[in-house]
Amino acid sequence: MMFFSLVVSLHFLVPYVACESEPLEDVVIDRYDIPKICPREVQMGDFVRYHYNGTFKDGQKFDSSYDRGVAVAGFVGVGRLITGLDRGILGMCVNELRKLIVPPHLGYGSIGVPGMIPADATLYFDILLQDIWNKNDEVQITTLHKSAPCNRTVQDSDFVRYHYNGTLLDGTYFDSSYSRSSTYNAYVGSGWLIKGMDMGLLGMCVGEKRRMIIPPFLAYGEKGYGTVIPAQASLVFHVLLIDFHNPKDGITVLNQVVPQPCQRKAVTGDYVRYHYNGTLMDGALFDSSYSRNTTYNTYIGMGYVIPGMDAGLQGVCVGEWRQIIIPPHLGYGENGAGNSIPGSAVLVFDVHIVDFHNPKDPVDIEVTYRPETCNTTSKKGDFIKYHYNCSLMDGTLLFSSHEYETPQQITLGTYKIIDGLDTGLAGMCVGERRTVLVPPHLAHGESGASGVPPSAVLKFHLELLHMEEGIPEGYLFIWLQDTPENLFETMDLDKNGEVPQEEFSDFLKAQVSEGKGRFLPGGDREKSIADMFVNQDRNKDGKITADELKLKTEEETEQVHEEL
């Protein structure tokens, strides 16, 4: 550098016109275009590539690399260049333009070059420096951006997907993955890449951006590559790491939020309903159940979903959040899926478990309160009144009896409600409260119902308010005491030998008020009376006679005899 400063000073002290009368002692350098940023200057022993035009004082051209279309390449300061060029190139920056005046004793001297350069010729060079490197160079890595957190970095044998822009050291573009709208995919350290890229990718995090300057002996060397990368060219890559994995990777489960208590975990054969956002490692969304406003529903461990999801859903709890990272060999492999999932892509699923069940699940009943005195419990045929709240397993309220003026009322076992609720209401005491989980095959099944999603597990909070004992199936009225010995005479209140419907109705209501009989609970009493009267009025003349009146037990006996 001391020599370089002396030369520059000489240039400014000795104008070109002085050359006409006084012989030059050294090279005259005119740095007429210097880049604003110059990270590196040519030193002795460096290898350089440069273009030049060579002329005599009168402007006559004697040589030009531009005419040949190939830059000159060689080491500086090892005697391969004329001394004047060796000295004139020292201290240059890539993309710098210099004019050199080389006196004869630093050029071709008194001999010249026959047919090209006369003896004792002063030479004028206009030089553009395109590349510098040294045999001791390593890959120069500059981190431009690094995402946090970085839980894992690229190692040898990892498979990487990255985008890049590739230029020569002077900024000349030669290739870009962006222009193909596709990442470059390769194994690291396995001979798939130039050595410098193998080295430059090590230690990278997903989302990290690096600039790599790779000397030619770690790139394409003396041969270059096609017409775009010259021989002995340094390469500059701006790299964005999209994702990476190792062929030995399994799934990774992160960011678990497990509700407490978790009374049950999903296993193979369970049917799971869950919401998810699916992204690539760079955060690009490729699918979401939320966008469809419906859960994704599937059996797990049975091959209905990609292997990584099958494995990632094992052991989940209802209400759990978890992130599942799936390598491509457990996802969509080398082919990807559609236009949204590239080949060999690592997939990230952020999952929320809404519910799950097994097709063999029974109704799950938890008694939350039971009165101390409980002598009678509900059973099939009983008429009951109850309050309920019905929700999904994530707490979404679907229905509630509290929204109505009166409680819900039904006769158990009459198929008026879903099977699971029928089961959950059986065996209750008046005043008892329960939480009942009903699997979909005992609720609304795969089709769901109005307001109920397909295959949803339902949670009921139940409170039994009132219960009336039922009567045998097929009966509308039963006697609580022995049947009157002369039933028709007792029923024929005006003793005229016939009983019209009004008299029939008055008689039955009197039996109930006196505690001697009971109607079907929960039913329409007037309709029950009308149905019973029509059944006894065999000839349909609007009245019942002694010959027509028969108890149900007598009717059943006659039917048996007829069949026999």
Side-chain angles (χ1 to χ4, degrees):
M1 291 302 292
M2 291 177 63
F3 173 76
F4 174 67
S5 299
L6 180 62
V7 172
V8 173
S9 299
L10 179 64
H11 160 63
F12 285 109
L13 290 173
V14 183
Y16 291 159
V17 294
C19 299
E20 298 179 1
S21 57
E22 300 178 12
L24 296 176
E25 294 182 2
D26 211 332
V27 178
V28 177
I29 300 172
D30 177 14
R31 304 181 72 180
Y32 70 90
D33 192 345
I34 304 173
K36 291 182 179 180
I37 299 175
C38 180
R40 178 175 185 174
E41 296 178 343
V42 176
Q43 305 292 324
M44 295 290 284
D46 285 347
F47 191 97
V48 294
R49 285 192 313 109
Y50 60 94
H51 268 301
Y52 72 91
N53 283 318
T55 63
F56 300 120
K57 180 181 177 182
D58 62 2
Q60 180 183 351
K61 183 165 62 174
F62 63 82
D63 193 19
S64 174
S65 63
Y66 293 101
D67 293 345
R68 295 188 293 274
V70 178
V72 176
F75 287 97
V76 177
V78 295
R80 296 189 181 183
L81 303 173
I82 60 174
T83 305
L85 279 180
D86 258 346
R87 294 181 184 182
I89 290 174
L90 286 173
M92 285 192 78
C93 307
V94 170
N95 286 327
E96 180 179 342
L97 289 164
R98 282 187 179 184
K99 293 183 184 294
L100 307 180
I101 303 176
V102 180
H105 67 281
L106 298 178
Y108 292 96
S110 59
I111 300 175
V113 177
M116 179 182 293
I117 300 175
D120 296 318
T122 298
L123 306 179
Y124 293 75
F125 290 93
D126 199 337
I127 296 178
L128 169 63
L129 187 66
Q130 294 187 312
D131 201 344
I132 315 171
W133 57 271
N134 191 285
K135 61 183 179 181
N136 295 320
D137 284 352
E138 298 178 347
V139 177
Q140 299 176 47
I141 298 172
T142 304
T143 299
L144 306 176
H145 171 76
K146 192 168 187 175
S147 301
C150 177
N151 299 315
R152 177 179 176 181
T153 61
V154 174
Q155 306 295 322
D156 275 337
S157 79
D158 283 345
F159 189 89
V160 294
R161 296 175 56 244
Y162 62 94
H163 271 303
Y164 70 89
N165 285 321
T167 65
L168 304 180
L169 199 58
D170 65 354
T172 301
Y173 165 88
F174 65 80
D175 193 22
S176 174
S177 63
Y178 294 99
S179 66
R180 296 184 291 274
S181 299
S182 175
T183 56
Y184 193 86
N185 308 335
Y187 285 98
V188 175
S190 301
W192 288 36
L193 301 167
I194 57 176
K195 290 183 179 179
M197 184 61 78
D198 264 342
M199 299 165 69
L201 289 168
L202 290 174
M204 286 192 77
C205 305
V206 169
E208 182 175 343
K209 295 180 180 179
R210 285 184 177 181
R211 180 175 65 245
M212 306 173 192
I213 301 177
I214 301 176
F217 55 86
L218 295 176
Y220 293 99
E222 297 179 355
K223 296 182 179 179
Y225 189 85
T227 60
V228 292
I229 299 178
Q232 302 289 24
S234 300
L235 305 181
V236 181
F237 288 95
H238 285 77
V239 173
L240 169 61
L241 185 62
I242 301 299
D243 72 31
F244 68 94
H245 72 279
N246 193 282
K248 297 180 181 179
D249 285 350
I251 64 164
T252 302
V253 176
L254 300 173
N255 304 332
Q256 283 183 269
V257 180
V258 182
Q260 297 297 331
C262 175
Q263 298 176 337
R264 175 179 174 182
K265 296 184 177 182
V267 298
T268 295
D270 283 347
Y271 191 85
V272 184
R273 294 195 316 122
Y274 60 95
H275 271 302
Y276 70 89
N277 282 323
T279 63
L280 305 179
M281 288 290 282
D282 63 356
L285 182 72
F286 62 80
D287 193 19
S288 174
S289 63
Y290 296 99
S291 66
R292 296 184 291 274
N293 199 32
T294 181
T295 56
Y296 191 86
N297 309 334
T298 185
Y299 289 98
I300 63 170
M302 300 175 68
Y304 287 94
V305 290
I306 56 175
M309 187 59 79
D310 254 347
L313 291 172
Q314 295 285 339
V316 294
C317 302
V318 170
E320 180 177 339
W321 298 79
R322 63 168 54 179
Q323 185 179 82
I324 305 169
I325 301 175
I326 301 176
H329 52 275
L330 297 176
Y332 293 99
E334 297 180 358
N335 296 324
N339 296 322
S340 55
I341 300 179
S344 300
V346 177
L347 308 180
V348 181
F349 288 92
D350 288 291
V351 172
H352 179 217
I353 307 301
V354 174
D355 68 35
F356 65 86
H357 72 280
N358 193 283
K360 298 179 181 179
D361 282 349
V363 175
D364 183 77
I365 298 173
E366 178 188 1
V367 177
T368 56
Y369 173 75
R370 192 179 184 95
E372 292 183 5
T373 302
C374 178
N375 298 319
T376 305
T377 60
S378 55
K379 63 183 183 302
K380 182 179 180 180
D382 287 352
F383 175 76
I384 62 171
K385 296 180 181 180
Y386 63 96
H387 268 310
Y388 72 90
N389 287 323
C390 174
S391 64
L392 301 178
M393 292 297 287
D394 64 358
T396 301
L397 182 66
L398 301 179
F399 313 105
S400 176
S401 62
H402 296 280
E403 297 176 356
Y404 303 96
E405 294 182 358
T406 59
Q408 182 79 2
Q409 56 186 38
I410 60 157
T411 299
L412 287 176
T414 56
Y415 307 105
K416 301 294 185 181
I417 55 176
I418 57 174
D419 292 345
L421 183 56
D422 215 29
T423 300
L425 287 165
M428 291 187 76
C429 307
V430 172
E432 183 177 333
R433 292 189 288 271
R434 288 180 173 182
T435 299
V436 177
L437 302 183
V438 181
H441 51 276
L442 297 175
H444 296 286
E446 296 180 359
S447 301
S450 178
V452 180
S455 301
V457 178
L458 301 182
K459 177 185 282 190
F460 288 91
H461 293 283
L462 304 174
E463 181 181 8
L464 187 61
L465 305 175
H466 172 80
M467 176 174 60
E468 296 179 32
E469 186 179 2
I471 64 177
E473 186 175 356
Y475 285 74
L476 298 175
F477 176 90
I478 61 171
W479 295 96
L480 299 178
Q481 300 177 1
D482 291 339
T483 308
E485 185 174 348
N486 296 309
L487 179 58
F488 182 81
E489 294 178 5
T490 306
M491 186 181 298
D492 184 13
L493 301 178
D494 58 7
K495 307 305 180 185
N496 64 352
E498 56 187 25
V499 178
Q501 182 169 339
E502 183 179 356
E503 192 173 10
F504 182 76
S505 175
D506 290 342
F507 171 75
L508 290 179
K509 289 177 181 178
Q511 306 309 301
V512 172
S513 63
E514 295 170 10
K516 298 178 182 179
R518 182 158 60 85
F519 285 104
L520 174 70
D524 183 336
R525 182 170 295 188
E526 295 301 328
K527 184 176 185 306
S528 294
I529 292 172
D531 288 345
M532 292 170 65
F533 181 83
V534 169
N535 184 54
Q536 297 295 330
D537 182 13
R538 315 283 174 177
N539 60 7
K540 309 305 178 187
D541 62 354
K543 53 184 179 291
I544 301 171
T545 63
D547 292 337
E548 290 177 308
L549 183 65
K550 290 184 174 61
L551 296 173
K552 187 170 180 62
T553 52
E554 295 173 337
E555 292 176 346
E556 291 172 350
T557 301
E558 287 183 1
Q559 289 174 2
V560 170
H561 283 292
E562 287 172 3
E563 289 171 359
L564 292 175

